Amino acid sequence: MQIVYNILITVVSFVAMEGVAWLAHKYLMHGWLWGLHEDHHHKEHYGFLEHNDAFFLIFATPGITCLAIGIYTPVTFLLYIGLGITLYGFCYFFVHDIFIHQRIKWLRNTKNPYLLGIRRAHKMHHKHLGKHDGECFGMLWVPRKYFKKQEAAS
């Protein structure tokens, strides 16, 4: 029974991270941390790294902390919360940096409707260049309208 409980904690943590990511993107990255996020919307750099990449470290810290506390103390449920956070971070990196922004050239020509919908939603997010305007701050769960355009095109 304990393994089911641990899997449930991991899954709930993973799903909750989509909400945390949405809130952080809308209110922190497009709020008082815009200075770190701005170069992600304005491509005025020529290197591989962006100031925006600092968020990778910022958002990895709670996951790493939970993993460490869960491993080295009797508070083991934090291990599974940290696992859910870390798995979400890997998915976010894969979807955002590899698939959508093609920082590593892979899956360029996919026809997967889900992947095309989230790519379309993120492109609509980047259509707005300013701090205050914007839409679609989520990553893995986006409004249905981005999938409907795909259905109409096919």
Side-chain angles (χ1 to χ4, degrees), residues 120 124 144-154:
R120 182 174 295 107
M124 290 306 293
R144 287 184 57 96
K145 67 181 181 181
Y146 299 108
F147 300 106
K148 289 179 181 174
K149 289 181 181 177
Q150 174 64 26
E151 293 167 2
S154 56

Side-chain angles (χ1 to χ4, degrees), residues 12-32:
V12 168
S13 298
F14 181 93
V15 172
M17 282 307 298
E18 178 67 8
V20 171
W22 188 94
L23 289 167
H25 191 183
K26 182 167 177 70
Y27 295 108
L28 295 177
M29 297 166 83
H30 281 258
W32 61 280

Side-chain angles (χ1 to χ4, degrees), residues 1-144:
M1 188 62 187
Q2 186 62 41
I3 192 166
V4 173
Y5 180 67
N6 294 340
I7 291 170
L8 186 63
I9 291 172
T10 302
V11 170
V12 168
S13 298
F14 181 93
V15 172
M17 282 307 298
E18 178 67 8
V20 171
W22 188 94
L23 289 167
H25 191 183
K26 182 167 177 70
Y27 295 108
L28 295 177
M29 297 166 83
H30 281 258
W32 61 280
L33 293 175
W34 175 249
L36 287 175
H37 188 57
E38 185 176 13
D39 70 342
H40 186 61
H41 283 264
H42 299 276
K43 296 292 182 189
E44 297 170 349
H45 57 87
Y46 299 100
F48 184 76
L49 296 176
E50 304 172 339
H51 291 112
N52 187 63
D53 294 332
F55 288 109
F56 174 79
L57 298 174
I58 293 169
F59 295 134
T61 301
I64 293 168
T65 302
C66 285
L67 288 170
I69 293 172
I71 290 170
Y72 295 113
T73 71
V75 189
T76 56
F77 73 93
L78 286 177
L79 169 65
Y80 300 101
I81 290 174
L83 187 60
I85 293 170
T86 302
L87 289 172
Y88 183 84
F90 280 121
C91 286
Y92 194 97
F93 174 75
F94 174 79
V95 168
H96 182 261
D97 292 294
I98 294 177
F99 174 66
I100 293 174
H101 289 291
Q102 291 288 300
R103 291 177 90 173
I104 298 171
K105 307 298 180 204
W106 192 38
L107 292 174
R108 289 176 134 172
N109 301 317
T110 185
K111 295 189 185 313
N112 181 290
Y114 172 72
L115 292 176
L116 292 173
I118 59 174
R119 178 187 281 164
R120 182 174 295 107
H122 198 72
K123 287 187 181 221
M124 290 306 293
H125 174 75
H126 277 275
K127 185 176 164 185
H128 305 280
L129 299 177
K131 174 181 176 180
H132 300 293
D133 296 324
E135 63 182 285
C136 203
F137 292 91
M139 181 54 57
L140 301 178
W141 186 1
V142 299
R144 287 184 57 96

